[in-house]
């Protein structure tokens, strides 16, 4: 063989070997469980190692990891939505599947990251938005895999790794998704533990996670207890807390559209969403029409006696809570159950396809006051829109979460927008439009309310870092 032939053969052989190497599945690294660990400390340490590798591999590795998560959450939506539904037994299977599918498209990635530059006589300063490292995330039972999927895309886009302390009632489905995401990310990037968790999350693992020095930031999605617990840890916590979204319907509204929107929003996943409509204040002159339109659209009206019977089933009054008398808490057995199951609990048969129950109550009724998370919505008559806005603000309890209004009156819409002061304010549509489902904008299932970051994005999970070059690198 001539020297040229020999060179050609050896080049072809090395190219073929190189191609085979890139196509062959990467071998599993010795120490990994692909994100699912028995001990919280192991979960944090694995995430820290993966964070360091992600930092070394740059933004292109972030993009590859996010692309994997987007692809998988859509491809696995049927399977994972069903597994989550079977495990938690709350909400609706079709909506659990849909919530996963929409994460693929609607959760923003690295394109959302900003940077700034200042150039002048003194030189050049740039501000970059850098990762924190490992973020400790707490997810709710109401949407376990969708919340962790949205968190994962946002947090990895910002260059972080995440350790999750998931809700114990929705931990198995979360672990299945975390392992699958890591295995697929590993094939693309060689990084095995960008998302980690523990098999059995408890309050102890929550404390271990919060205390670990490698966990630099917390992101909590849940009710009042976990928000309070996270704020006491001494670490910065981004808190996506509870809501009790009121709806105001005034005399200028398109009443049929308002009725359809209220049914769509309040029945979505059996009213588990923190943004879901939880109580309605309707101006007296259009109240009968709203009720008629809701009935025409298939919602079932309960009378006063039926509402009181359901109240007794839907709330429990544990002794020792509240000031002097027991304070109501929602009965977990009815949270997120079908409208037909709520009806059945008071001896009423309604078609299994019924989306929503509703009924008239006073403004001080417990169904107005509490975040019921079930497909019964109370309707309160008010004399005018100003009273409706006042009552809505009262019912929202200053959670600064979500409010909805149906009106064609620009002045009334503006007044409510300004006074209610919520993170999301939806006008003339169902609450779900506030998260990009039929409304403009992006999605995250963690809406940071008491801490003010709003619907979380990759930018929420960054640190601002300034880099100054003195008297150089400015171009003029
Ligand atoms: P939850 O508060 O019972 O649980 C949320 C998480 O916190 C779980 O992982 C749970 O194990 C943990 N937790 C609860 N108490 C804790 C404590 N004292 N210390 C440490 N961890 C604790 O909530 P849930 O029923 O699963 O979810 C529904 C609640 O979450 C509603 O109030 C809803 O409004 C809210 N939520 C808010 C958002 C948002 O984006 N703002 C999104 C989803 C749900």
């Amino acid at each position: 063989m001539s020297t040229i032939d020999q060179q050609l053969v050896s080049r072809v052989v090395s190219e073929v070997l190189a191609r085979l190497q890139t196509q062959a599945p990467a071998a599993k690294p010795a120490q990994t469980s692909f994100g699912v660990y028995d001990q919280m400390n192991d979960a944090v340490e694995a995430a820290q190692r993966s964070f360091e590798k992600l930092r070394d591999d740059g933004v292109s590795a972030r993009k590859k990891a996010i692309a994997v998560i987007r692809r998988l959450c859509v491809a696995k939506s049927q399977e994972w939505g069903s597994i989550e539904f079977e495990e938690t037994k709350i909400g609706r299977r079709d909506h659990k599947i849909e919530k996963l599918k929409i994460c693929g498209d609607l959760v923003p990635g690295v394109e959302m990251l900003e940077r700034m530059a200042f150039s002048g006589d003194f030189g050049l300063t740039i501000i970059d938005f850098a990762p924190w490292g490992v973020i400790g995330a707490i997810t709710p039972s109401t949407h376990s895999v969708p919340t962790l999927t949205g968190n994962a895309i946002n947090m990895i886009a910002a260059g972080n790794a995440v350790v999750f302390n998931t809700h114990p009632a929705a931990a198995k489905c979360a672990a299945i998704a975390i392992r699958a995401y890591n295995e697929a990310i590993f094939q693309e990037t060689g990084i095995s533990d960008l998302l980690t968790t523990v098999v059995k999350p408890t309050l102890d693992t929550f404390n271990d996670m919060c205390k670990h020095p490698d966990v630099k930031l917390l992101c909590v999605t849940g009710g009042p207890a976990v928000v309070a617990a996270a704020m006491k840890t001494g670490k910065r916590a981004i808190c996506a807390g509870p809501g009790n979204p009121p709806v105001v319907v005034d005399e200028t509204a398109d009443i049929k559209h308002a009725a359809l929107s209220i049914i769509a929003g309040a029945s979505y996943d059996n009213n588990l969403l923190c943004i879901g409509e939880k109580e309605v204040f309707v101006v007296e002159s259009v109240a009968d029409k709203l009720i008629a339109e809701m009935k025409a659209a298939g919602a079932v009206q309960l009378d006063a006696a039926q509402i009181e019977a359901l109240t007794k089933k839907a709330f429990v009054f544990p002794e020792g809570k509240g000031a002097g008398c027991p304070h109501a808490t929602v009965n977990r057995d009815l949270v997120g159950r079908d409208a037909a199951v709520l009806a059945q609990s008071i001896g009423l048969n309604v078609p299994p396809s019924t989306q929503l129950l509703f009924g008239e109550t006073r403004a001080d009724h417990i169904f107005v006051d509490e975040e019921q998370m079930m497909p019964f919505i109370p309707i309160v008559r008010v004399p005018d829109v100003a009273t409706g806005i006042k009552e809505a603000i009262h019912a929202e309890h200053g959670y600064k979460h979500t409010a909805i209004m149906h009106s064609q009156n620009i002045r009334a819409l503006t007044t409510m927008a300004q006074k209610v002061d919520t993170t999301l304010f939806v006008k003339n549509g169902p609450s779900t439009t506030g998260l990009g489902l039929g409304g403009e904008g992006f999605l995250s299932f963690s809406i940071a309310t008491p801490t003010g970051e709003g619907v979380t994005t990759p930018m929420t999970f960054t640190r601002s870092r300034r880099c100054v070059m003195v008297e150089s690198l400015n171009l003029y």
Side-chain angles (χ1 to χ4, degrees), residues 321-357:
K321 292 201 174 176
C325 55
H327 179 77
T329 54
V330 69
N331 176 5
R332 289 268 157 186
D333 291 344
L334 287 188
V335 163
R337 304 302 297 276
D338 288 351
V341 173
L342 302 189
Q344 193 65 56
S345 77
I346 56 166
L348 179 69
N349 281 321
V350 301
S353 59
T354 304
Q355 310 257 318
L356 187 68
L357 309 177

Side-chain angles (χ1 to χ4, degrees), residues 263-309:
I263 294 170
S267 70
Y268 193 84
D269 210 16
N270 284 341
N271 211 349
L272 286 182
L273 289 191
C274 54
I275 60 166
E277 288 82 345
K278 299 290 190 294
E279 61 276 336
V280 178
F281 300 97
V282 56
V283 172
E284 172 70 51
S285 60
V286 290
D288 289 342
K289 186 159 181 350
L290 181 75
I291 287 169
E293 293 289 2
M294 287 182 68
K295 278 161 68 171
V300 172
Q301 184 175 13
L302 302 189
D303 63 24
Q306 290 166 329
I307 293 170
E308 285 329 297

Side-chain angles (χ1 to χ4, degrees), residues 1-13:
M1 227 189 298
S2 72
T3 321
I4 292 181
D5 285 347
Q6 276 177 350
Q7 281 174 349
L8 188 64
V9 168
S10 82
R11 208 174 68 227
V12 169
V13 169

Side-chain angles (χ1 to χ4, degrees), residues 390-445:
K390 199 169 121 238
E391 293 290 2
I393 291 167
H394 185 253
E396 212 274 325
H397 300 307
Y399 288 140
K400 297 194 186 299
H401 201 298
T402 298
I404 300 104
M405 187 169 191
H406 294 274
S407 171
Q408 303 294 331
N409 179 343
I410 294 287
R411 184 71 353 242
L413 288 165
T414 308
T415 302
M416 175 137 169
Q418 291 173 355
K419 287 195 172 164
V420 76
D421 201 20
T422 44
T423 304
L424 295 180
F425 179 49
V426 173
K427 300 176 281 292
N428 297 329
S431 56
T432 42
T433 60
L435 289 185
L437 267 171
E440 289 301 325
F442 53 84
L443 169 74
S444 164
F445 288 108

